Amino acid sequence: MPLIVDRGADWFRSLGTEKSAGTKVVSVSGNVRRPGNYEIELGIPVRDIIYGLAGGLEPGRRVKCFFPGGSSAPVLPGTDENLDLPYDFDSMAKAGSMLGSGAIIVIDDAHSVVDVALWTAEFYRHESCGKCSPCREGTNWTVKMLDRINVGEATPMDIEVLAQMQANIIGNCLCVLGDSMAMPLGSMIEKFRPEFEDHMEAARQASEAEAAAGDLELTGSVEGAAA
Amino acid sequence: MSRPEEKFVSFDIDGREVRAPEGAMLVDGAKYGDVEIPVFCYEPKLGPPVGACRMCLVEIEGIPKLQTACSTPVKDGMVVITKSDRVQSAQNAVVEFLLVNHPLDCPVCDAGGECPLQDVAYGWGPGRSRFIEPKRHFKKPLELSPTVAIDRERCILCYRCVRYSQEIAEDHQLVLLERADHSFVGTHDGAPYVGPFSGNIIDLCPVGALTSVPYRFRARPWDVEEAGTVCTLCPSQCNVTLTVRDDNKVLRAFNRQNDEVDDGWLCDKGRFGYQTIHAADRVVHPMVRDGGTLRAVPWERALSEAVAGLRKAGAGTAALVGGEATNEEGFLLQRLLREVLGSSHVDSRPSGRLEGEHARVLARPDLSARVSDIDYADVVLVLDAEPVDEAAILDLRVRKAARRNGARVVVATSRPSSLDANAEAVVRFAPGASEAALAALGAALTGGAGLDDLARRAGAPAETVRAAASLLGAAESIVVLWGERLSHGARGPQGVAALLALMRSLDITGKEGSGLIEIPSSTNARGLREVGCLPNLGPGLVPTAGEGLAAADMPGAVGEDISALVLLQADPLRTHPDRQAWAAALDRATFVVAFTDFLGEGVLEQADVVFPAPSYAEKEGTITHPDGRLQRLRQSIGLVGEVRPQWGVLAELAAALEDKPVELLSSPMATEQMVAAVPFYAGVTLAEIGGRGVRWQDRDAASSLAAAELPDGALESPPELGDGLRLGTVLSLWTGKVTEHAPVLSFLAPQQRAELSADDARRLDLSPGDVVEVGFDGTRVRAVAALRDAVPPGSVFLVEGTRTDNATALTNGAPRTVEITRVPDAVAKGTSLPLAADAGAADASTSVAGSAEAPPA
Ligand code: SF4
Ligand code: SF4
Ligand code: FES
């Protein structure tokens, strides 16, 4: 502020890009080594923020995806192409997300996208005021489906239903809270569908194995009793 | 605010050009083009839309996102699409979301077959659900109150019931608790949702989440038929639909919206009071007194005994007509008295005498407002009446006017009113001093000469009178709801004169959308007055040759001029002042004929002949609303037991007394004769009245009422107030047969309460809940002391019409001062009153006002 007063609006406008002039305070969180708030000149590459200012990821980790503007922004996968995007309003919108609040959340490859989806959905289910149907029921249903994927009781069709449900929420709510869950969730399913499917399949096999083990145990105990 | 003019605009919907009123929401506008847009939360009766359920999404050209048709007003040239794939998929989506947590237990749900959720799911839903997760669970059905059950699993959280409680009934009891998908409807502290209008939420709920306790599991829609008629349990005369099974049993009553009458609401008395129709102790046979007790007899015997008794009494017969009588019944009864028996002693008012000139002036079309004028009035003046207790549905109307259209409410009453909280000015005058209060208001409007003296005589602070007068004086339109009570008693005529003088100073006849609406003391009081049930006025408010005795003068004349009494659905021991005088009169009368549906103590002990009275569900005929609207009662069920049509019995009695054959053969013939006798009803037909009613003031025949101008003579000086504790008596929505014979309402039966100020209680060393005796000399009534801060010191209020300890024992039409003494605990235990220390818990109709006040000190 004092700088703007001191040097004038033109100076401020000379920073940043043509359409996203000036600077912005971004808040970087998630799997970075130096999370915090940084004032950046709009238009610098995302990579510079995550790897420069925020200190990069733990050794050996890659960016799996990041929320460019708060947890309600569609995620962008951590491809070189995306990391090289200039961090400004236009570029984020063109990439299919948004700069929003400027809260960059970085997820590394140690995390399952299904877990990220679940955390996000749980947060929005909790925040939903419950007044309009798509948001109230959609956030709740989404959480329940993700839970089901996690315990191995889902089929590939469920992922399709989950994706369609996000589309059914977007644009149909009374306020933007429903969209705030559905946009990132939708993007996660769209961009990481194979991972969803793998996760689901793994969970299903694990639960089958567990069930089998349970059966064995049961048989064992029956035998034991007979002995 | 003045009544808005309707302007039409055109817009395009699904490729069709449609004209609809400007400002209408798209959902309603679409109907002009026969396009139905599904809704759940939208209900115009509830006020501005909330756009919560998202069921009504449509596409509007030029707007990228889908819009809610319930909250988007139509605009000229708008292009709307309701049938695109995009809209359809949004509709599918919303139905699917709504069904996520809905149990789909239609086969055991009361709403099944008449459920908007079913209809919308079939019409606009995807047809199948993809939700296989566990649904949310609540304890199944719980009593939200003794009358309404709640099944929270079925609730689709549309907010209708909550908005109703907050913004229509303004009882602020229902809320949405918690948030997100665990939201649920409840009350703040889990207390039952009890209020005079609570049952409306049953009609509002678009699913089976809120159901009627007495109707639950009684029938399915295909087992029943619906019959439209009018509730006759109070002067509001709400239009109702009765659900009838097997042509002979009323199972339910719900609203039949008529915006000129009820706005689509019912009170709980009207909604659940139908249970009295099938009460086990209802009188359904004619009876005669035989060896001291009443015994059921064949009609012929009862009729011949009645004929003999009346023939003997002849001109010495007097009749009281109760408010549940129809215009036809009242007309036939007064004709029986006047033309057959030669007596003019017939009265439909409980007390006082209405002067002929006053009656005609009060009926002037330009002096009367219609109910819907309340909606748009600048100022609504509530005068010596408590709408919620006396004409319940008008209470909601006044609240609506204030909340939605910014009407300023002025309350001028003795007893604190439940509308005080909505009022911009309150004049609280001493019980019985309405005449002085009106004169004081008049003085304040015309320069203020004598105001202080008049205000003192009214027992009201002069500055409150001034504040009220300045609101009235500045108003462009005024609707006055005035209680018939102010015309009662010995100084009734002076009270009416003061009212008319005030109307003159306000120039009310010159103001658009302004006028009076009388809140009469009983349902059809207006109609009965107009068809000739007054001792001084025949049909059409025309003076009669000889004047009969008014109700108040009848008891004194029994044994002299009067020997026989006819009670047409009237019970003077309940509703008329001076209970002892009436009890003695019934005892002294040589012959008493009563038409009644229940045996009150007077009838039980004194009637010689009892004719069973049909309930409103069994009647065919007309009644007249306080605003002049003739309404039709339609017979909805077969006559119960041995009941016969009352018009027919009256016609038969008249014919037998004259030794003529019965000429009146049908109810429409009775209507025709009644209409022909009242010049300003001339030409009204049953077809014209139809299901919506017709105000006679709006018809050409109205000009045949020869009424004088508003009088401009000087007013008499009202009497000084006496010293001592002044007794005011009030009506309660819950006295009478509904709480005594409709089981589901019995929990609301009022016990006698003496409402007094904390000051007086302290002075008299009384605490809330004390059993007290209120009275004078030897006459006393027992009551439970209730402290109410808003009661001005010097006044005490009792309820009229209670089953025991009726306040009418203490009234005789003149202002009365009383003493209050506490009944020692030991003695109190043996009384009829429960010794509950809950006198602070007001009965339901007053709890709204009561709870707004600070707890008694
Ligand atoms: S109980 Fe009925 S009216 Fe109330 S919110 Fe639920 S569905 Fe709506
Ligand atoms: S307000 Fe009066 S007329 Fe209306 S439902 Fe209640 S009792 Fe009946
Ligand atoms: S009807 Fe329009 S949002 Fe509910």
Side-chain angles (χ1 to χ4, degrees):
Chain A
M1 258 315 155
L3 282 178
I4 300 174
V5 174
D6 198 31
R7 302 189 190 171
D10 286 343
W11 165 79
F12 188 70
R13 287 201 67 88
S14 75
L15 300 170
T17 69
E18 198 190 321
K19 286 208 177 139
S20 309
T23 65
K24 181 160 180 73
V25 176
V26 297
S27 156
V28 190
S29 62
N31 307 129
V32 287
R33 281 193 290 183
R34 274 203 309 272
N37 295 334
Y38 303 97
E39 181 167 11
I40 56 144
E41 186 180 354
L42 283 165
I44 65 168
V46 174
R47 191 186 297 279
D48 287 5
I49 303 174
I50 296 178
Y51 285 93
L53 294 166
L57 279 64
E58 292 298 330
R61 291 283 159 225
R62 278 188 323 97
V63 176
K64 171 178 262 180
C65 63
F66 64 98
F67 295 82
S71 68
S72 63
V75 297
L76 295 177
T79 57
D80 283 345
E81 192 190 331
N82 283 339
L83 290 172
D84 288 336
L85 284 172
Y87 191 71
D88 61 48
F89 289 97
D90 252 17
S91 313
M92 290 302 120
K94 261 186 223 139
S97 184
M98 59 188 196
L99 187 137
S101 60
I104 302 172
I105 307 165
V106 180
I107 314 290
D108 72 18
D109 56 356
H111 291 96
S112 148
V113 73
V114 179
D115 289 338
V116 178
L118 183 59
W119 299 330
T120 311
E122 275 177 340
F123 171 76
Y124 285 104
R125 175 176 68 168
H126 183 257
E127 292 305 313
S128 171
C129 77
K131 195 161 171 178
C132 80
S133 338
C135 169
R136 179 183 68 239
E137 303 300 343
T139 52
N140 143 56
W141 188 3
T142 300
V143 169
K144 285 183 173 164
M145 287 196 86
L146 289 166
D147 277 341
R148 205 147 51 77
I149 290 175
N150 264 336
V151 297
E153 284 173 14
T155 66
M157 207 182 74
D158 287 318
I159 295 173
E160 184 51 31
V161 172
L162 193 58
Q164 283 176 13
M165 194 201 322
Q166 307 314 312
N168 282 344
I169 296 171
I170 295 172
N172 290 343
C173 297
L174 183 57
C175 78
V176 293
L177 195 119
D179 291 19
S180 299
M181 177 202 71
M183 291 195 302
L185 263 282
S187 68
M188 288 176 212
I189 302 166
E190 182 193 326
K191 310 231 161 84
F192 296 94
R193 191 184 283 243
E195 191 180 330
F196 270 87
E197 284 166 359
D198 292 349
H199 185 102
M200 184 191 72
E201 185 53 26
R204 199 180 57 75
Q205 281 174 12
S207 96
E208 262 173 21
E210 212 177 280
D215 279 351
L216 271 183
E217 243 170 52
L218 197 64
T219 332
S221 66
V222 171
E223 273 172 11
Chain B
M1 166 174 184
S2 52
R3 215 177 257 263
E5 263 174 54
E6 220 172 53
K7 230 179 89 192
F8 275 73
V9 295
S10 359
F11 70 109
D12 181 294
I13 185 158
D14 294 336
R16 224 168 343 143
E17 178 90 2
V18 170
R19 288 175 59 73
E22 189 178 31
M25 294 304 161
L26 258 179
V27 164
D28 295 322
K31 292 181 190 150
Y32 286 77
D34 283 337
V35 173
E36 190 180 353
I37 299 173
V39 298
F40 286 116
C41 65
Y42 181 58
E43 170 48 73
K45 291 199 283 194
L46 292 173
V50 290
C53 75
R54 321 303 289 172
M55 192 59 238
C56 63
L57 291 167
V58 295
E59 222 172 311
I60 299 174
E61 230 175 65
I63 308 180
K65 275 175 79 171
L66 298 182
Q67 299 293 306
T68 45
C70 70
S71 56
T72 311
V74 286
K75 287 207 190 70
D76 212 31
M78 197 177 231
V79 178
V80 184
I81 301 146
T82 77
K83 302 219 155 57
S84 62
D85 288 350
R86 219 178 129 205
V87 172
Q88 232 163 40
S89 91
Q91 288 169 336
N92 281 340
V94 174
V95 169
E96 182 175 41
F97 283 132
L98 285 173
L99 295 182
V100 156
N101 268 320
H102 189 81
L104 293 168
D105 56 349
C106 308
V108 293
C109 175
D110 258 13
E114 51 179 23
C115 172
L117 182 59
Q118 280 184 329
D119 297 345
V120 173
Y122 279 120
W124 289 270
R128 63 192 189 93
S129 171
R130 299 177 293 183
F131 182 84
I132 54 169
E133 282 69 20
K135 301 195 180 219
R136 56 187 204 149
H137 288 294
F138 285 105
K139 218 165 139 193
K140 267 189 147 347
L142 294 169
E143 275 200 359
L144 186 61
S145 76
T147 52
V148 183
I150 183 165
D151 183 325
R152 295 195 167 106
E153 294 181 346
R154 293 182 188 147
C155 171
I156 57 165
L157 297 166
C158 73
Y159 280 76
R160 283 184 179 205
C161 54
V162 173
R163 286 162 68 205
Y164 170 79
S165 165
Q166 304 288 328
E167 296 179 26
I168 305 295
E170 297 187 339
D171 54 37
H172 307 286
Q173 294 184 55
L174 281 187
V175 277
L176 244 294
L177 295 154
E178 292 291 346
R179 55 197 261 184
D181 63 307
H182 37 280
S183 322
F184 63 94
V185 171
T187 54
H188 287 290
D189 43 7
Y193 177 42
V194 175
F197 306 105
S198 67
N200 286 310
I201 59 174
I202 301 169
D203 289 355
L204 285 171
C205 184
V207 298
L210 297 171
T211 50
S212 150
V213 167
Y215 183 63
R216 280 175 69 79
F217 306 131
R218 289 301 185 285
R220 317 259 23 188
W222 46 90
D223 299 328
V224 295
E225 281 174 304
E226 279 164 7
T229 186
V230 176
C231 172
T232 64
L233 296 174
C234 95
S236 302
Q237 298 183 9
C238 300
N239 293 192
V240 293
T241 304
L242 300 179
T243 295
V244 174
R245 185 161 193 161
D246 302 333
D247 295 337
N248 62 17
K249 191 144 170 86
V250 178
L251 294 183
R252 153 174 91 166
F254 59 95
N255 83 82
R256 179 166 66 83
Q257 184 157 1
N258 184 345
D259 290 346
E260 289 296 328
V261 177
D262 50 45
D263 248 353
W265 307 122
L266 296 183
C267 77
D268 288 2
K269 171 154 103 175
R271 181 176 303 274
F272 301 108
Y274 69 85
Q275 283 196 330
T276 57
I277 298 169
H278 305 292
D281 50 354
R282 190 180 146 193
V283 178
V284 293
H285 302 281
M287 293 188 271
V288 299
R289 190 163 301 277
D290 187 357
T293 51
L294 288 172
R295 278 185 217 294
V297 293
W299 270 97
E300 283 53 45
R301 162 115 190 258
L303 282 166
S304 68
E305 293 214 2
V307 168
L310 293 176
R311 181 169 280 145
K312 202 154 142 217
T317 307
L320 295 179
V321 190
E324 282 191 89
T326 62
N327 293 338
E328 290 76 6
E329 292 159 355
F331 168 74
L332 292 170
L333 177 74
Q334 64 84 35
R335 193 166 74 179
L336 171 73
L337 256 82
R338 290 199 164 103
E339 295 177 18
V340 179
L341 298 169
S343 160
S344 255
H345 309 313
V346 53
D347 205 351
S348 54
R349 288 161 41 94
S351 159
R353 183 181 208 87
L354 188 61
E355 287 186 359
E357 197 54 48
H358 283 164
R360 286 184 294 274
V361 175
L362 285 169
R364 284 181 69 102
D366 60 355
L367 193 58
S368 67
R370 54 172 65 224
V371 169
S372 61
D373 284 333
I374 300 171
D375 290 351
Y376 305 107
D378 230 5
V379 167
V380 179
L381 169 61
V382 178
L383 192 59
D384 211 2
E386 176 63 321
V388 70
D389 284 314
E390 298 170 30
I393 234 62
L394 293 182
D395 172 84
L396 296 184
R397 203 74 182 213
V398 176
R399 290 175 192 279
K400 172 188 173 194
R403 169 178 288 269
R404 282 202 230 157
N405 298 337
R408 281 158 302 166
V409 178
V410 177
V411 173
T413 58
S414 304
R415 186 199 193 201
S417 165
S418 66
L419 289 168
D420 282 355
N422 305 56
E424 256 172 65
V426 174
V427 178
R428 187 107 310 135
F429 54 83
S434 49
E435 175 195 348
L438 284 162
L441 277 170
L445 274 166
T446 51
L451 169 61
D452 289 332
D453 176 54
L454 288 166
R456 190 176 49 77
R457 288 169 194 256
E463 64 279 6
T464 62
V465 176
R466 246 180 244 117
S470 80
L471 278 173
L472 289 167
E476 275 171 25
S477 56
I478 305 170
V479 173
V480 183
L481 300 175
W482 66 281
E484 182 192 307
R485 156 200 327 280
L486 75 77
S487 72
H488 287 172
R491 288 193 69 84
Q494 288 86 344
V496 176
L499 173 69
L500 295 176
L502 178 66
M503 293 308 109
R504 193 182 164 86
S505 1
L506 288 170
D507 183 27
I508 201 150
T509 52
K511 289 187 167 125
E512 193 65 27
S514 303
L516 298 173
I517 297 177
E518 177 179 346
I519 299 191
S521 56
S522 66
T523 303
N524 190 28
R526 176 165 195 152
L528 294 171
R529 189 185 300 174
E530 293 177 347
V531 301
C533 293
L534 289 185
N536 51 338
L537 299 175
L541 304 173
V542 176
T544 48
E547 271 200 23
L549 293 168
D553 301 321
M554 287 177 190
V558 173
E560 291 166 25
D561 293 350
I562 297 176
S563 58
L565 287 168
V566 178
L567 307 176
L568 184 64
Q569 298 194 268
D571 183 355
L573 298 192
R574 273 305 175 90
T575 51
H576 287 50
D578 213 347
R579 190 182 142 85
Q580 293 85 323
W582 272 106
L586 287 174
D587 192 29
R588 269 201 316 276
T590 32
F591 189 64
V592 178
V593 185
F595 294 77
T596 189
D597 45 3
F598 291 98
L599 294 176
E601 65 188 284
V603 172
L604 186 65
E605 285 160 22
Q606 307 295 352
D608 297 290
V609 178
V610 175
F611 292 121
S615 68
Y616 65 97
E618 292 150 79
K619 283 193 184 190
E620 191 70 48
T622 63
I623 53 176
T624 308
H625 187 276
D627 82 350
R629 178 172 301 274
L630 284 147
Q631 304 208 85
R632 256 186 105 167
L633 293 183
R634 304 303 309 270
Q635 188 177 349
S636 311
I637 53 170
L639 292 155
V640 173
E642 299 281 302
V643 175
R644 288 187 183 177
Q646 207 155 252
W647 61 266
V649 178
L650 291 164
E652 209 169 325
L653 285 175
L657 283 162
E658 289 186 302
D659 288 323
K660 284 191 200 157
V662 182
E663 277 164 10
L664 194 62
L665 298 174
S666 72
S667 162
M669 273 174 79
T671 306
E672 251 172 58
Q673 293 189 0
M674 178 276 294
V675 165
V678 180
F680 48 86
Y681 287 0
V684 174
T685 61
L686 290 169
E688 187 185 349
I689 297 172
R692 304 267 128 205
V694 59
R695 275 182 90 226
W696 65 258
Q697 297 97 323
D698 298 340
R699 304 174 69 257
D700 292 343
S703 59
S704 64
L705 173 76
E709 293 299 319
L710 285 174
D712 63 349
L715 294 175
E716 279 177 35
S717 189
E720 292 276 355
L721 289 175
D723 291 330
L725 202 50
R726 284 177 289 270
L727 172 68
T729 60
V730 297
L731 301 177
S732 159
L733 182 61
W734 299 121
T735 49
K737 65 179 170 192
V738 287
T739 46
E740 288 159 29
H741 302 285
V744 71
L745 292 178
S746 62
F747 76 105
L748 292 164
Q751 61 176 357
Q752 189 55 273
R753 296 161 15 107
E755 265 179 24
L756 73 172
S757 67
D759 275 6
D760 286 323
R762 214 169 297 125
R763 188 172 52 76
L764 297 164
D765 191 23
L766 295 175
S767 316
D770 283 353
V771 176
V772 296
E773 282 187 343
V774 184
F776 52 89
D777 305 336
T779 314
R780 312 206 146 252
V781 155
R782 276 202 180 185
V784 173
L787 271 51
R788 214 171 149 188
D789 273 7
V791 171
S795 299
V796 57
F797 295 96
L798 292 174
V799 179
E800 287 178 23
T802 48
R803 195 169 58 83
T804 57
D805 304 298
N806 190 343
T808 55
L810 303 178
T811 57
N812 67 353
R816 171 81 80 196
T817 56
V818 288
E819 280 158 12
I820 302 187
T821 47
R822 185 176 32 204
V823 178
D825 284 359
V827 182
K829 287 216 168 71
T831 67
S832 55
L833 284 168
L835 260 183
D838 69 348
D843 65 66
S845 68
T846 55
S847 63
V848 178
S851 62
E853 296 161 16

